[in-house]
Amino acid sequence: MVENGIGVSVLRKEDKRFLIGKGNYTDDINVAGQTHAYFLRSPHGHATIESIDISAAAASAGVVAVFTGDDLAADGIGTLICGVTVTSDDGEPHRAPAHPALAQGKVNYVGDHVAIVIAETLAQAKDGAEKIAVDYGVLPAVTETARAADDDQVQIHEVAPNNMCFNWPFGDKEGVEAAFASAHKVSRLELINNRMVTNPMEPRASLGEYNTGTEEITLHVTTQNPHVHRLVLSAFNQLAPEHKLRVVGPDVGGGFGAKIFVYAEELVVGWACRKVERPVKWTGDRTEAFLADAHGRDHVATAEMAMDEDGKFLAMRVMTQANLGAYLSTFSTMVPSYLYAFLLAGQYTTPLIYSEVKAVFTNTAPVDACRGAGRPEATYLLERLVDVAARDMDLDPAEIRRRNFIPKDAFPYQTPVVQCYDSGDYVAALDKAMVLADYEGFPARATEAIARGKRRGIGLSSYVEACGIAPSAAVGQLGAGVGLWESAQVRFNPTGNVQVFTGTHSHGQGHETTFAQLVTEQLGVPFENIEVVHGDTAKTQFGMGTYGSRSLAVGGVAIAKACEKLITKGKKIAAHALEAAEGDIEFADGNFTVAGTDKAMNIGEVAFNAYVPHSYPEGLEPGFDENAFFDPLNFSFPAGTHICEVEVDTDTGVVEIVKYSAVDDFGKLVNPMIVEGQVHGGIVHGVGQALLEGCRYDSEGQLITATYMDYAMPRADNVPSFDVDYAPTDPPDNPLGVKGCGEAGAIAAPPAVINAITNALGIKHIDMPATPENVWRAAQGAA
Amino acid sequence: MYDFLYHKVNSVDDAVAAMGNADDGKFVAGGQTMLPTMKHRLASPSDVIDLGGVSDLVGIANEGDALVIGAMTTHAAVAASAEVQSAIPALAKLAGNIGDPAVRNRGTLGGSIANNDPAADYPAAVIALGATVKTNKREITGDDFFTGMFETALEEDELITAVSFPIPMTAAYIKFENPASRYAIVGVFIAKTVDGNRVAITGATPCAYRGMKFEKVLNEDFSSNACDAVEVSVDRMNSDIHASAEYRAHLVKVMVKRAVDACG
């Protein structure tokens, strides 16, 4: 094994700077002449703007400028876009209402952007904002997902009758109906997938600088994908041409999806810095993060499973209403459609699946991808339905899963919902998880708990997730406006150290370590001589960024391809320097050798030779620096079984997770420590959704969970120490043999937790979040 | 935060004098409620009088039959005090579970009870232990001090100097925490004293109160089963997204029973 290579739990390179306070986040960056921006936001869920008077604000002490939507429109700045088209059942594209960065005549959610005040200090900007007089005509608000399309609801956007964005049917409706008609048994479940606030630790921020000499805008912004920001802001918002716009995502304190999107604030800041010819900084506070970051999930659904007498799944039917919020965020339409319905087969051989997704507008913050994005919703629905089916068939939940798993010799496996899984061994993961969880010993533990007045339950979740979304041709057919490849550049400096430029973006994932491990493994360069560079459009050639657990499975392969090119070129250089034929040069462990001889050159020497080409033959290009683009053949399909064990205090409804076991298939692990950290974090995210987190608006559209006093985040004492293991398979569609791991925990955990609670109480279902009061009420009903 | 005049004082007299000269002054103790409120521009006092320099208000003294704790003593100091831990361990435990370490190292006993948040912990201890609140003007019994939601018997220029907690035979505090804020959805403090049992309940209603019905049955039979006979009225209970009135009323009884058991 290479020192610090693939498979080694190397400590994270990036942690030193974070631990000693030397991280460089957007708000840490201050530049000469900087001004501070504050956004005046709508206090109403739904209102017309009859008039705005900015005169007193503009005259307020320290105020540099005040702008409204009219100013943006006058400069031809485009509205915010949604990059994925979903075709509705009438054959038309989804309804896409205009999404102005600053309101024009109407506000559609609390937190919607009305005006920007730019001042010498933040306090002066806030003082100025208080002096803006807005005359609102308050309208009734639409806030309930399930009722948004009802006839009695007020219309939010003219272009979207009944507040419908799209109605997207998918699958074999007639075939499913026929299977249901002749089924031995049909299990049915109605459920809610609770709305979440994504809550990265660092709030969003942006700093715009305009150079009047070069006419270039530099935008530092909390982003997971700087090039996507640059592309969208240039091509659709006319902020500046791409070659005159530099987007930098410096250290970013967590994203979880919320920092993928191009938001109003960053567009307005980027535009305003040129307008006032001074740097403009905006740093959101926590309340703004609650109000105006894209939220996640928010489905109501009905799921049905038809079975034969053995509990084999014959067909599944799913009707879903998904809340997209007030406007379409950057990738919002994709989340409850392709990222959801294409996962409904899960680990099972269910031959027929029909799904209908109605996506609706409401007077709430836009909803878009949040860790897992569509896949947690699909997995929760399916894994809950499977437990209900087991209950209806009087089968053990493990047994009904086993009877319906796709067998390991059936891969590649074409599901009825587009996806073709390349590898998996679901029985192996289930078996291993059941041992890890001591499933056999559960009845004795449950009996012992009863003696202590507690109810104990155990719950399984056997999930598949589809990440590393690809290939570009497939996403293009589905209506995505972008490709989903990744790029890398691996550059040797003359003295033999290496800079790796990746188009992915690390905001907590540890790429600087993992990617360096890939390169040290492949090129034999010492780990400490490798630096991973990301997050700056002026440094990295291009990239699609980090989301959907794609960075290693897609971005890592691009790095490996660039390394292969270096080896190919290195052989030419070594052949020349060692006076051998290129075909006789072999490369291993960082050395080019002439086969069958002791003549050798280290790759560092080759690099120096490449930059000091004093005796190069004609046709050999100097330099040792290669780039590569990689477009995968397929998605990546991590899978596994998680088992949660809970104890319920029926007097209070408090649920304690007493044991949590996870067995995942992530293919080959590059850094097991980092992977385990991702698993832990994902599970905690999922436990948060299952037990604690519930974003709620009142009937007027006020967000009533807008602070941590009311929005419950998971904490260390909400979870036990996890038992984590792996049951890897080798994915043939991934050249590195790796799968994504960042979202799996958040996808697997919610049904595992809820299945454990329903098991403990002997009930069919309880909605998330299973708060103490909800569990107490369920326990009363069950008693 | 809006502009205000800041006063750093060294004595209770100077603090009261500064308050007398202010248009709309506020004393700040640990500032754990007041400063966030000001930062959110929800409060705009003309003058802020910082009590942090008044050393007379800090300290813990065991006077034999009572613990006297200065108003500016932090929760962390109370939690860590060997005097408190040995005389009234339930009080040390209560203080050690308020907020988080940052809150406990800034927040004070006096600040907490003067604010009288309906979900705060200390009011339950003050009432159940039959404590006396000492001010620059007078002494107020715990039963008379808390008058309503965020309201107390304190006058505008009146400053808490200390709280005297009689030492009980035994006591316990059981708190059912709000999963988000970790404030008390229901907190129950029970003190067994030579004069009988005292029960105080915080979090459940707009203001902490004495559980007289529980005291009555517990004086006859100090057991959790005895509490089953008590009906907790839903009428006065708070109701919010975390706990309905019905659930709170239920929790009051459950927490009282657990506090009885914890008293041993």
Side-chain angles (χ1 to χ4, degrees):
Chain A
M1 189 181 276
V2 175
E3 191 186 4
N4 297 326
I6 290 175
V8 181
S9 288
V10 184
L11 292 181
R12 301 194 339 156
K13 273 176 178 255
E14 44 271 84
D15 283 345
K16 181 180 177 186
R17 72 174 188 275
F18 297 139
L19 291 172
I20 66 172
K22 294 296 180 186
N24 186 41
Y25 298 87
T26 299
D27 190 55
D28 291 328
I29 301 165
N30 292 294
V31 292
Q34 173 178 296
T35 61
H36 296 266
Y38 182 75
F39 284 88
L40 179 69
R41 295 174 185 277
S42 170
H44 302 294
H46 195 196
T48 56
I49 297 177
E50 303 299 324
S51 66
I52 304 181
D53 181 355
I54 62 163
S55 54
S60 186
V63 169
V64 174
V66 182
F67 298 116
T68 66
D70 289 346
D71 299 302
L72 279 177
D75 274 12
I77 296 298
T79 56
L80 299 166
I81 62 147
C82 175
V84 179
T85 303
V86 173
T87 303
S88 198
D89 60 344
D90 57 7
E92 297 290 318
H94 69 260
R95 309 303 188 262
H99 186 179
L102 293 175
Q104 290 180 340
K106 191 158 180 278
V107 286
N108 290 312
Y109 67 101
V110 171
D112 202 354
H113 315 71
V114 174
I116 182 174
V117 182
I118 299 165
E120 300 294 341
T121 70
L122 179 58
Q124 288 172 331
K126 288 182 179 179
D127 289 344
E130 287 183 357
K131 292 171 187 161
I132 297 175
V134 186
D135 182 10
Y136 291 104
V138 178
L139 299 167
V142 182
T143 60
E144 286 181 63
T145 306
R147 303 227 313 110
D150 292 357
D151 288 336
D152 65 347
Q153 297 286 294
V154 69
Q155 176 101 13
I156 302 171
H157 301 289
E158 256 178 48
V159 300
N162 280 102
N163 299 318
M164 287 286 293
C165 179
F166 60 78
N167 179 14
W168 183 65
F170 172 71
D172 180 356
K173 187 177 187 182
E174 289 75 28
V176 166
E177 277 172 5
F180 270 82
S182 61
H184 168 73
K185 188 120 195 156
V186 172
S187 290
R188 188 172 191 278
L189 179 65
E190 289 174 28
L191 46 66
I192 290 168
N193 201 291
N194 46 323
R195 185 180 179 110
M196 294 176 83
V197 180
T198 302
N199 275 311
M201 189 179 290
E202 177 206 21
R204 289 187 296 113
S206 40
L207 169 62
E209 295 169 77
Y210 179 65
N211 184 318
T212 52
T214 62
E215 299 180 350
E216 185 185 64
I217 293 173
T218 301
L219 185 67
H220 282 83
V221 59
T222 45
T223 174
Q224 301 178 211
N225 30 245
H227 284 91
V228 173
H229 265 74
R230 190 182 68 168
L231 176 64
V232 170
L233 290 168
S234 292
F236 299 97
N237 300 128
Q238 293 77 42
L239 182 58
E242 268 186 292
H243 67 299
K244 292 293 185 186
L245 177 60
R246 177 183 172 196
V247 175
V248 187
D251 284 330
V252 172
F256 309 105
K259 293 172 184 167
I260 298 170
F261 322 119
V262 178
Y263 287 93
E265 292 90 349
E266 46 228 40
L267 170 59
V268 174
V269 162
W271 165 81
C273 70
R274 180 164 57 194
K275 203 80 180 156
V276 300
E277 294 190 356
R278 283 178 66 181
V280 177
K281 180 192 269 188
W282 169 76
T283 301
D285 64 23
R286 185 57 63 186
T287 305
E288 291 180 289
F290 271 100
L291 292 176
D293 281 8
H295 294 174
R297 319 280 194 257
D298 204 342
H299 289 192
V300 291
T302 304
E304 296 166 285
M305 185 73 86
M307 289 169 284
D308 71 11
E309 50 280 355
D310 297 324
K312 278 286 277 184
F313 302 155
L314 303 173
M316 185 164 86
R317 182 162 52 202
V318 181
M319 302 297 188
T320 307
Q321 192 137 315
N323 187 351
L324 293 178
Y327 304 99
L328 297 179
S329 172
T330 316
F331 292 107
S332 56
T333 50
M334 187 180 194
V335 176
S337 54
Y338 314 137
L339 294 180
Y340 171 69
F342 293 177
L343 248 287
L344 287 172
Q347 297 193 350
Y348 310 109
T349 54
T350 317
L352 291 160
I353 295 174
Y354 178 69
S355 153
E356 256 180 55
V357 179
K358 290 183 165 68
V360 295
F361 293 106
T362 58
N363 294 115
T364 65
V367 178
D368 207 322
C370 164
R371 201 176 196 166
R375 291 149 293 168
E377 295 90 315
T379 302
Y380 178 67
L381 175 138
L382 178 58
E383 287 301 288
R384 273 268 60 235
L385 181 61
V386 167
D387 258 38
V388 170
R391 178 185 160 98
D392 290 346
M393 295 295 294
D394 202 20
L395 287 170
D396 185 274
E399 176 58 25
I400 199 167
R401 284 174 170 81
R402 229 176 256 288
R403 289 186 188 184
N404 287 284
F405 277 161
I406 298 163
K408 73 172 176 184
D409 57 10
F411 291 88
Y413 184 83
Q414 179 60 54
T415 71
V417 281
V418 176
Q419 298 291 9
C420 181
Y421 303 158
D422 63 343
S423 80
D425 185 346
Y426 304 144
V427 172
L430 176 68
D431 284 345
K432 209 166 183 176
M434 287 172 74
V435 171
L436 200 60
D438 185 21
Y439 195 81
E440 295 302 314
F442 173 75
R445 296 194 294 278
T447 305
E448 184 275 336
I450 287 169
R452 287 182 287 108
K454 298 284 178 68
R455 301 268 282 274
R456 206 164 172 117
I458 195 162
L460 280 74
S461 169
S462 297
Y463 75 97
V464 180
E465 92 116 318
C467 58
I469 302 162
S472 295
V475 297
Q477 278 175 7
L478 289 174
V482 292
L484 281 168
W485 43 267
E486 197 43 78
S487 87
Q489 179 179 5
V490 180
R491 176 193 297 164
F492 272 79
N493 294 317
T495 52
N497 46 41
V498 176
Q499 287 170 291
V500 180
F501 299 85
T502 173
T504 64
H505 185 278
S506 188
H507 33 276
Q509 295 86 347
H511 296 169
E512 292 168 39
T513 305
T514 301
F515 291 169
Q517 288 181 256
L518 289 182
V519 174
T520 195
E521 175 85 23
Q522 201 171 351
L523 298 184
V525 178
F527 178 76
E528 57 274 18
N529 292 351
I530 300 163
E531 191 72 18
V532 175
V533 180
H534 64 89
D536 185 344
T537 59
K539 292 179 179 171
T540 303
Q541 51 192 0
F542 210 92
M544 297 309 298
T546 287
Y547 39 79
S549 303
R550 70 189 301 274
S551 298
L552 178 62
V554 188
V557 178
I559 292 169
K561 282 187 69 180
C563 290
E564 280 168 27
K565 289 184 180 179
L566 284 166
I567 293 168
T568 302
K569 181 166 184 187
K571 285 181 177 174
K572 292 184 202 294
I573 298 168
H576 169 67
L578 298 170
E579 297 177 333
E582 189 187 329
D584 290 339
I585 304 294
E586 294 172 344
F587 179 74
D589 301 330
N591 292 308
F592 293 92
T593 51
V594 182
T597 75
D598 60 358
K599 291 206 288 184
M601 263 181 107
N602 182 266
I603 194 167
E605 295 173 276
V606 167
F608 187 78
N609 197 296
Y611 286 107
V612 191
H614 288 165
S615 61
Y616 259 35
E618 204 178 315
L620 187 55
E621 208 176 283
F624 206 40
D625 183 356
E626 295 286 351
N627 65 35
F629 285 70
F630 173 64
D631 201 331
L633 291 168
N634 196 351
F635 281 62
S636 166
F637 298 101
T641 289
H642 288 204
I643 301 181
C644 178
E645 193 164 325
V646 299
E647 271 191 14
V648 179
D649 178 343
T650 51
D651 283 340
T652 60
V654 168
V655 173
E656 183 191 358
I657 298 177
V658 290
K659 190 169 169 59
Y660 194 104
S661 311
V663 174
D664 296 295
D665 170 8
F666 297 137
K668 185 190 289 177
L669 306 186
V670 176
N671 185 317
M673 176 197 72
I674 287 176
V675 171
E676 189 168 346
Q678 289 286 322
V679 173
H680 286 193
I683 293 169
V684 174
H685 213 146
V687 166
Q689 178 172 22
L691 294 182
L692 298 159
E693 301 185 48
C695 173
R696 289 173 61 176
Y697 285 86
D698 72 10
S699 61
E700 295 174 351
Q702 294 296 331
L703 181 61
I704 50 178
T705 51
T707 76
Y708 290 131
M709 296 293 278
D710 288 309
Y711 187 92
M713 291 288 283
R715 303 184 207 188
D717 66 354
N718 294 121
V719 291
S721 190
F722 304 117
D723 296 314
V724 175
D725 205 345
Y726 305 95
T729 62
D730 185 17
D733 289 346
N734 187 281
L736 284 173
V738 299
K739 303 184 178 194
C741 69
E743 297 163 293
I747 291 167
V753 174
I754 297 299
N755 287 344
I757 296 171
T758 55
N759 177 252
L761 298 179
I763 57 173
K764 178 181 174 184
H765 182 62
I766 184 168
D767 272 319
M768 302 188 290
T771 60
E773 177 162 2
N774 290 346
V775 173
W776 173 70
R777 288 189 182 280
Q780 302 294 107
Chain B
M1 192 178 282
Y2 297 103
D3 291 348
F4 55 87
L5 280 173
Y6 175 81
H7 304 266
K8 179 102 182 172
V9 295
N10 298 314
S11 71
V12 171
D13 288 346
D14 288 352
V16 173
M19 181 62 88
N21 293 329
D23 285 344
D24 179 21
K26 278 276 186 192
F27 295 120
V28 64
Q32 296 305 291
T33 298
M34 188 169 146
L35 294 185
T37 309
M38 290 171 66
K39 281 182 181 171
H40 281 104
R41 297 189 161 207
L42 297 171
S44 52
S46 63
D47 296 65
V48 169
I49 300 138
D50 185 353
L51 304 173
V54 188
S55 53
D56 290 353
L57 298 180
V58 180
I60 298 166
N62 188 333
E63 298 190 344
D65 56 354
L67 278 180
V68 179
I69 303 179
M72 285 296 290
T73 310
T74 63
H75 311 322
V78 172
S81 160
E83 291 282 9
V84 182
Q85 285 171 8
S86 80
I88 318 179
L91 187 63
K93 187 174 155 234
L94 174 151
N97 194 34
I98 296 173
D100 56 25
V103 169
R104 291 195 287 276
N105 279 291
R106 296 295 307 170
T108 66
L109 168 62
S112 173
I113 64 172
N115 187 48
N116 193 19
D117 189 304
D121 298 301
Y122 264 131
V126 170
I127 294 170
L129 289 166
T132 301
V133 179
K134 301 184 176 195
T135 77
N136 57 324
K137 295 184 170 180
R138 56 184 167 146
E139 296 194 345
I140 309 169
T141 66
D143 286 337
D144 295 334
F145 183 79
F146 303 102
T147 55
M149 187 161 68
F150 294 108
E151 287 177 3
T152 67
L154 289 172
E155 293 163 10
E156 281 291 300
D157 58 347
E158 190 170 17
L159 196 56
I160 303 168
T161 56
V163 179
S164 175
F165 294 97
I167 297 170
M169 285 154 33
T170 184
Y173 180 61
I174 299 287
K175 166 173 163 179
F176 188 86
E177 293 176 351
N178 178 318
S181 68
R182 307 258 168 135
Y183 271 84
I185 281 181
V186 172
V188 172
F189 202 109
I190 294 184
K192 278 182 90 166
T193 75
V194 287
D195 300 323
N197 302 302
R198 290 176 64 96
V199 177
I201 296 141
T202 189
T205 52
C207 181
Y209 70 101
R210 256 180 93 179
M212 301 281 203
K213 290 186 202 162
F214 286 111
E215 290 179 7
K216 186 158 178 284
V217 299
L218 289 170
N219 283 338
E220 287 165 21
D221 173 12
F222 194 82
S223 75
S224 51
N225 286 341
C227 299
D228 286 332
V230 175
E231 291 277 330
V232 180
S233 168
V234 173
D235 297 345
R236 292 188 302 158
M237 295 287 145
N238 295 330
S239 186
D240 56 34
I241 58 170
H242 303 288
S244 66
E246 183 192 2
Y247 180 54
R248 272 193 167 82
H250 166 78
L251 285 176
V252 166
K253 191 186 286 190
V254 174
M255 294 302 124
V256 169
K257 291 170 72 171
R258 290 184 182 183
V260 169
D261 289 340
C263 281

